[in-house]
């Protein structure tokens, strides 16, 4: 399975921006659709968005649509989550995940995920 490591989290004021990175290891990285999920203590992990293996298709949760952008650089085995216009309710641990699904969305079958990176948005 592909190994994933997230980075780039931190503290930012509401309205600010952060870019999260996910470094993947494994020769088969290009075969996976990639996604981002987030989790607040006491709640289920929430789907944020996903990108197809080629980067040609993306899907975003309504809560982040228009503010967050997923991209990938397959040559460098990297996936990014650009977060703009951040809100306090975006505060969570963000996880990078991999799936073999063709259809992008919250019901994808994630086969691997990283250890997470904390994002805190202050008001």
């Amino acid at each position: 399975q592909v190994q994933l490591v997230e980075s780039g989290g931190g503290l930012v004021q509401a309205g600010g921006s952060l870019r999260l990175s996910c470094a993947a290891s494994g020769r088969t990285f290009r075969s996976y659709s990639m996604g981002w999920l987030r989790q607040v203590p006491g709640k289920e992990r929430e789907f944020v968005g996903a990108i197809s293996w080629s980067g040609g298709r993306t899907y975003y949760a309504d809560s982040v649509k228009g503010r967050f952008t997923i991209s990938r650089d397959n040559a460098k085995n990297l996936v990014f989550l650009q977060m703009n216009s951040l809100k306090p309710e975006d505060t969570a641990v963000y996880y990078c995940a991999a799936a073999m699904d063709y259809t992008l969305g919250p019901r994808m079958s994630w086969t691997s995920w990283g250890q997470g990176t904390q994002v805190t948005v202050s008001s």
Side-chain angles (χ1 to χ4, degrees):
Q1 297 291 332
V2 61
Q3 305 296 312
L4 307 172
V5 179
E6 303 94 337
S7 63
L11 175 64
V12 64
Q13 289 187 321
S17 299
L18 279 176
R19 178 183 286 264
L20 306 184
S21 298
C22 173
S25 62
R27 193 178 298 275
T28 61
F29 172 73
R30 296 171 184 262
S31 298
Y32 289 87
S33 295
M34 301 296 298
W36 288 91
L37 304 94
R38 64 189 183 185
Q39 188 169 30
V40 176
K43 296 185 178 180
E44 293 185 344
R45 195 167 297 186
E46 175 189 15
F47 173 80
V48 175
I51 186 169
S52 63
W53 71 270
S54 67
R57 294 180 295 119
T58 55
Y59 185 99
Y60 300 96
D62 289 342
S63 59
V64 305
K65 190 179 302 181
R67 300 188 298 120
F68 291 11
T69 302
I70 298 174
S71 61
R72 67 191 297 168
D73 184 342
N74 288 343
K76 298 181 179 179
N77 286 2
L78 293 174
V79 183
F80 305 98
L81 180 65
Q82 178 66 46
M83 304 184 293
N84 299 325
S85 301
L86 283 162
K87 306 174 181 179
E89 51 262 44
D90 294 319
T91 296
V93 176
Y94 283 71
Y95 299 88
C96 178
M100 294 295 293
D101 304 52
Y102 174 81
T103 301
L104 306 180
R107 302 188 186 280
M108 298 172 67
S109 299
W110 307 109
T111 59
S112 301
W113 57 87
Q115 61 193 35
T117 185
Q118 176 71 47
V119 172
T120 302
V121 184
S122 64
S123 59

